[in-house]
């Protein structure tokens, strides 16, 4: 079963719903496997939506895990089985290029020198194995604009949930990780994370992604409305974190986007005016 590694205020809210939430998360894994079997991009979209759920933790013996990791492994195993079933094993091998295999081998050998095997194994799978799996699957499944749009929408919905939680938290003060961030007027929201910066680290890149996604001429009007709504909600949540680093990152992302859209001269003029 899962437990929730969230601030005390959230713990108090979630404890009465602990059993239903666990049943929902466990039941969602077979559903994710079925969606992946039918369409690989749906599995990647499911993992994208589940990104904030790494705070739902569990353990198998001495090996720690999270709901996000189990969702990713469910997608990866289902995708591999689907490819073997469809006689396309070569596609699996082609997705794992030599540099990636070398990196994985080096990281695996490094486990031998770790004084804490359990902690090292957790980092090994989280920082090496799982990103490689996501890359390998995404490279073979996100082949059409519809596939890629599905993942972007999943990220947008996920960001919207986090942003709405943060905005609600700004009004209620419930679940803020540290007491020093609660008092008004300098309240800093943390959503379900343990730091205001974590909110910005999650929402900032998605806002930048949605900005680039919106300006594409291929986007339909409902897609653009969705992206703008999520971006504005996320920007409001980022503002409530009072995290200066996130704004610097967004400024850099917008500068790069302006460079590709407007060219070097116009983008430099806009950056100069903004500064």
């Amino acid at each position: 079963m899962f437990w929730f590694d969230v601030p005390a205020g959230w713990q108090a809210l979630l404890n009465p719903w602990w059993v239903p939430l666990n049943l929902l998360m466990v039941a969602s894994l077979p559903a994710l496997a079925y969606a992946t079997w039918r369409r690989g991009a749906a599995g990647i979209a499911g993992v994208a939506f589940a990104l904030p759920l790494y705070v739902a933790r569990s353990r198998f013996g001495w090996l720690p895990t999270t709901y996000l990791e189990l969702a990713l492994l469910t997608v990866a195993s289902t995708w591999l089985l689907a490819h073997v079933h469809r006689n396309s094993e070569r596609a699996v091998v082609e997705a794992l290029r030599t540099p990636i295999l070398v990196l994985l081998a080096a990281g695996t050998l490094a486990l031998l020198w770790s004084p804490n095997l359990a902690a090292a194994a957790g980092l090994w799978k989280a920082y090496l194995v799982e990103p490689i799996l996501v890359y390998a699957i995404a490279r073979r499944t996100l082949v059409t604009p519809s596939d890629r749009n599905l993942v972007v929408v999943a990220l947008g919905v996920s960001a919207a949930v986090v942003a709405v939680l943060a905005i609600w938290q700004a009004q209620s003060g419930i679940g803020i990780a540290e007491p020093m961030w609660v008092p008004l007027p300098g309240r800093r929201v943390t959503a379900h994370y343990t730091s205001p910066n974590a909110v910005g680290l999650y929402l900032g890149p998605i806002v930048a992604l949605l900005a680039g996604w919106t300006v594409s001429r291929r986007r339909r009007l409902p897609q653009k409305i969705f992206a703008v709504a999520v971006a504005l909600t996320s920007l409001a949540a980022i503002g409530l974190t009072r995290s200066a680093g996130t704004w610097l990152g967004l400024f850099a992302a917008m500068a790069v986007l302006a460079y590709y859209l407007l060219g070097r001269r116009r983008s430099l003029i806009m950056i100069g005016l903004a500064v």
Side-chain angles (χ1 to χ4, degrees):
M1 302 296 280
F2 298 97
W3 68 87
F4 304 104
D5 186 13
V6 293
W10 288 112
Q11 291 279 6
L13 290 175
L14 293 175
N15 282 340
W17 303 94
W18 185 80
V19 172
L21 287 173
N22 268 270
L23 293 175
L24 179 62
M25 286 188 290
V26 171
S28 69
L29 295 177
L32 186 59
Y34 176 75
T36 305
W37 183 273
R38 296 297 302 270
R39 182 183 179 187
I44 296 294
V47 171
F49 176 76
L51 286 176
L53 292 180
Y54 71 87
V55 298
R57 302 187 182 276
S58 187
R59 181 179 293 273
F60 292 97
W62 56 268
L63 186 64
T65 188
T66 67
Y67 173 81
L68 176 61
E69 289 181 345
L70 293 177
L72 194 156
L73 293 175
T74 298
V75 170
S77 57
T78 305
W79 181 78
L80 288 170
L81 286 173
H83 274 265
V84 170
H85 176 72
R86 294 161 189 163
N87 298 318
S88 53
E89 297 90 339
R90 184 180 177 185
V92 179
V93 177
E94 288 178 350
L96 299 174
R97 299 296 183 181
T98 300
I100 295 176
L101 293 175
V102 171
L103 178 64
L104 181 60
T108 304
L109 289 174
L111 290 174
L112 301 176
W113 283 270
S114 173
N116 188 336
L117 182 59
L123 293 174
W124 172 78
K125 62 185 175 62
Y127 289 94
L128 279 176
V129 176
E130 292 165 7
I132 289 172
L133 285 174
V134 171
Y135 165 77
I137 299 170
R139 186 173 181 272
R140 304 302 304 186
T141 58
L142 305 185
V143 294
T144 67
S146 176
D147 294 332
R148 294 187 285 271
N149 289 344
L150 183 64
V151 176
V152 174
V153 169
L155 284 170
V157 173
S158 177
V161 172
V162 173
V164 169
L165 285 177
I167 293 171
W168 171 79
Q169 192 177 60
Q171 303 300 318
S172 66
I174 297 174
I176 295 177
E178 296 291 341
M180 62 181 178
W181 294 325
V182 177
L184 294 171
R187 177 174 291 170
R188 301 185 67 187
V189 300
T190 60
H192 65 297
Y193 298 110
T194 57
S195 166
N197 293 334
V199 179
L201 285 171
Y202 186 67
L203 296 181
I206 295 179
V207 170
L209 173 66
L210 291 174
W213 193 68
T214 304
V215 298
S216 172
R217 295 179 181 178
R218 299 177 182 178
R219 301 284 81 79
R220 299 173 182 173
L221 182 59
Q223 292 175 326
K224 292 187 176 183
I225 293 174
F226 165 78
V228 170
V230 173
L232 291 177
T233 306
S234 299
L235 288 173
I238 292 171
L240 293 170
T241 66
R242 304 179 186 275
S243 174
T246 303
W247 292 110
L248 290 175
L250 281 172
F251 178 79
M254 293 304 103
V256 173
L257 182 61
Y259 176 82
Y260 281 101
L261 290 177
L262 303 176
R264 181 178 179 181
R265 180 176 298 179
R266 292 181 180 179
S267 62
L268 288 176
I269 293 174
M270 290 188 62
I271 293 171
L273 292 175
V275 173

